[in-house]
Amino acid sequence: MKQAALAAALVALATATQAQVAHDFQTVTPQGDTLFCTITDSAQHHISVRGDESVWGAHYIHYSDTLVIPSSIEHDGIAYTVTALADSAFYSHGEVKSVSIPATITTIGRLALSYTLINDLFVHDGVETIGEKAFGSIKNVVYHGTATGSPWGALTVNAYVEDSLYYTDSTRTRLTACHPQLAQAIVPPSVRTIGRLAFAGSNTLTTVTLPEGLDTIGNYAFQSCSQLGTVVIPSTVRVIGNYAFYNAFRQDGSATATIADAEHVSPDSGCSIGKGAFAYSHVGAVSLGNRITSIGSDAFSTCDRLDSVIVPNSCTYLAERVFCYNYNGSLKKVHLPEGLDTIRAELLHGCLGLKEVNIPSSVVYIDSMAFLECSKLTELTLPEGLNYIGQYAFGECSRVRKIRSLAATPPQAFSGTFERMNPELSLIVPCHSGEAYNADPYWSYFNNIEEDCTGVPTAEAPQATIRTIEGGITVEGCTGERIRVFDTGGRLIAETTCHGTCTLHLPSAGIYMVQIADRPARKVVVQ
């Protein structure tokens, strides 16, 4: 019964889809291409044409790589003039590499030729109306007519071309595309921006030389450049766009990517790496230099040849899933930067080969699933200021044999934080903290909790400890010390003199600095 119902639903959906793309008649061109025709003016015998449309993204009819649209089509003894390419006429037909548009056409509909493999398209001046994104992803459109809305999704209109590279004009400051058969690209020193999709999909490009002075590598700029080898990104580049090298580089792992150092690091010399910038790429080695300031989500996810990454201390922001899903085990070492205060969700989730990672002393917050399934880690050191570890943060880390926690107060944890870790591993905690860890409902999951009192005189009273609560903090073990709380901008938020235990309620959730007497301030995260 369920199968019958599903079949009926599929038939209904297919019928509805066909209804949406209704036509008056169809014809086959001399080149053997099927066109679907809709009468737009019965008195003048005008028609629009299109190819088949997809059902769930699957095309049922494929077209010639060189598609010729006829100027007229005869049907039932009437000669119809082709005056329009319909909306989505050949949308996403990747087999189409060029189109001949007849002089009779005055209208090109929205998305009509988007996401084909057309490199250069000539559109005659008689075309008066061009729909939104009609030429999406086409590298260059030659058109001098009166239609407004340029460039209709094309990378360039009326490009300046030199050495198989396409520019918006003769100043050559913005590079927008390249010839699809280009093997080696030397980008001239005038270029400041490599535009979106400029080299995308080139399966012949093996080398590219980028100039000093280049500022921006646009989104998808080198996506799926499958033969690309070593790339050196100049010290002047400030933006590496989203998915810039997605699914790029030759598959044998010999390719490298280097982001050059700046001689003098300043706020103006910093460089951000966009989301997915190197995701699914086959780059074998990456050097991030000394000036990376932020790395976007999934930037190095599923890199099947990458062995190790050192993130420079200039980087203060790592988004979610930056190194995740390296399930093939290639990624073995990641060095995280000092100064990082938060390890975000799934940062290293699924890195099955990871053997070495540091958790910087500046980290106060580890989000959910950050190290989930890092099954080859054997030791962990948790910093003194850490106060929060999210759900499944260390789940499935089954080979860990030792955890050294430097936090006197057990960081907040959850029932799944240490799921399937070995409960018999050695958990080493600061002197006088064993009781607190044993009393914690989640840290007591471990059976072997040891105190490290090396270098601590036995006569010395334990220092006051800080525990976060909802909406504030509790300080325990005080002996008359002054407690001060600052925001991250250094402004005093609250203070008190504490004897025994005291609680301070804070105005909002966030990261605060807590100073007890004249000791160094500690970062805490208040929920």
Side-chain angles (χ1 to χ4, degrees):
M1 292 295 291
K2 289 183 178 179
Q3 290 179 340
L6 178 59
L10 293 176
V11 170
L13 180 57
T15 302
T17 303
Q18 290 169 359
Q20 292 171 3
V21 295
H23 57 276
D24 294 307
F25 62 91
Q26 66 187 63
T27 189
V28 178
T29 71
Q31 290 75 31
D33 293 312
T34 300
L35 299 178
F36 297 86
C37 307
T38 301
I39 298 172
T40 56
D41 187 327
S42 57
Q44 298 292 324
H45 300 151
H46 290 174
I47 58 172
S48 68
V49 298
R50 61 169 175 81
D52 78 316
E53 293 193 7
S54 62
V55 178
W56 303 329
H59 290 292
Y60 295 107
I61 297 176
H62 292 276
Y63 290 88
S64 302
D65 58 359
T66 299
L67 181 62
V68 177
I69 307 296
S71 60
S72 67
I73 294 172
E74 186 172 331
H75 176 70
D76 286 344
I78 299 174
Y80 289 91
T81 303
V82 179
T83 61
L85 292 183
D87 290 352
S88 303
F90 298 96
Y91 173 80
S92 197
H93 272 280
E95 72 275 18
V96 176
K97 297 180 180 179
S98 67
V99 173
S100 175
I101 300 173
T104 55
I105 285 184
T106 60
T107 299
I108 298 176
R110 64 183 301 273
L111 298 171
L113 297 170
S114 283
Y115 303 104
T116 58
L117 287 183
I118 298 170
N119 189 67
D120 292 285
L121 176 68
F122 176 79
V123 179
H124 63 83
D125 296 353
V127 173
E128 300 170 350
T129 303
I130 301 175
E132 180 185 10
K133 296 183 179 178
F135 308 131
S137 83
I138 294 178
K139 294 191 174 184
N140 182 44
V141 173
V142 178
Y143 173 69
H144 298 282
T146 59
T148 59
S150 173
W152 306 284
L155 303 188
T156 313
V157 172
N158 302 321
Y160 176 85
V161 183
E162 185 176 277
D163 296 330
S164 298
L165 299 176
Y166 294 62
Y167 308 92
T168 53
D169 55 45
S170 61
T171 64
R172 300 185 306 172
T173 56
R174 183 178 180 87
L175 190 157
T176 59
C178 72
H179 190 276
Q181 300 303 313
L182 185 65
Q184 297 180 333
I186 300 176
V187 179
S190 58
V191 171
R192 296 295 175 263
T193 299
I194 294 177
R196 175 179 177 273
L197 293 167
F199 294 91
S202 174
N203 56 15
T204 58
L205 185 68
T206 59
T207 61
V208 60
T209 302
L210 303 177
E212 284 294 321
L214 182 66
D215 179 83
T216 300
I217 298 174
N219 297 348
Y220 307 96
F222 294 92
Q223 176 190 344
S224 300
C225 290
S226 59
Q227 300 304 313
L228 192 60
T230 296
V231 172
V232 177
I233 297 172
S235 64
T236 53
V237 169
R238 296 185 303 111
V239 177
I240 299 172
N242 299 340
Y243 308 104
F245 294 91
Y246 180 91
N247 193 34
F249 300 102
R250 59 174 68 107
Q251 293 190 17
D252 62 5
S254 63
T256 64
T258 299
I259 300 174
D261 289 346
E263 186 175 348
H264 302 290
V265 178
S266 68
D268 292 336
S269 66
C271 178
S272 63
I273 298 176
K275 66 180 180 180
F278 293 86
Y280 286 89
S281 77
H282 310 293
V283 65
V286 169
S287 175
L288 297 183
N290 65 355
R291 58 192 187 85
I292 298 299
T293 57
S294 66
I295 301 178
S297 59
D298 300 285
F300 294 95
S301 69
T302 322
C303 290
D304 60 359
R305 295 291 184 267
L306 190 59
D307 178 76
S308 65
V309 180
I310 298 174
V311 183
N313 289 340
S314 57
C315 184
T316 57
Y317 180 85
L318 289 169
E320 298 82 1
R321 302 181 305 277
V322 168
F323 302 106
C324 68
Y325 310 144
N326 282 284
Y327 286 120
N328 73 325
S330 66
L331 187 62
K332 297 177 176 61
K333 177 181 178 181
V334 172
H335 181 86
L336 300 176
E338 286 296 332
L340 191 69
D341 58 29
T342 299
I343 293 178
R344 287 177 169 77
E346 299 189 83
L347 182 76
L348 288 148
H349 176 193
C351 292
L352 302 186
L354 188 70
K355 295 181 178 180
E356 184 178 339
V357 64
N358 65 307
I359 299 177
S361 60
S362 50
V363 168
V364 298
Y365 190 102
I366 298 176
D367 209 343
S368 59
M369 300 191 286
F371 298 92
L372 179 63
E373 296 184 297
C374 291
S375 55
K376 287 193 176 180
L377 288 176
T378 57
E379 292 192 14
L380 293 168
T381 298
L382 306 179
E384 181 181 2
L386 181 64
N387 57 53
Y388 182 96
I389 309 176
Q391 279 278 20
Y392 308 109
F394 294 102
E396 309 283 349
C397 294
S398 56
R399 295 190 187 181
V400 173
R401 295 293 176 262
K402 180 189 292 185
I403 297 177
R404 181 179 293 275
S405 177
L406 304 179
T409 300
Q412 181 180 348
F414 299 89
S415 58
T417 296
F418 307 109
E419 187 173 73
R420 297 190 182 179
M421 289 186 79
N422 182 2
E424 302 302 324
L425 62 74
S426 176
L427 173 59
I428 302 171
V429 302
C431 198
H432 308 297
S433 297
E435 184 177 346
Y437 278 84
N438 275 303
D440 186 277
Y442 306 116
W443 285 96
S444 60
Y445 168 83
F446 299 110
N447 298 323
N448 298 309
I449 300 177
E450 310 168 32
E451 292 185 358
D452 181 3
C453 294
T454 304
V456 178
T458 56
E460 182 178 314
Q463 294 184 349
T465 59
I466 303 167
R467 180 183 295 274
T468 59
I469 60 172
E470 185 174 356
I473 62 169
T474 293
V475 184
E476 302 169 342
C478 296
T479 56
E481 293 95 340
R482 183 173 62 160
I483 311 298
R484 293 187 295 171
V485 181
F486 303 87
D487 65 14
T488 54
R491 290 170 294 188
L492 182 66
I493 301 300
E495 68 176 320
T496 188
T497 299
C498 185
H499 297 273
T501 298
C502 59
T503 297
L504 289 86
H505 294 284
L506 300 174
S508 62
I511 298 175
Y512 293 90
M513 305 296 295
V514 180
Q515 185 175 33
I516 301 175
D518 295 323
R519 300 170 197 157
R522 288 178 51 188
K523 289 182 182 179
V524 299
V525 178
V526 174
Q527 303 297 307

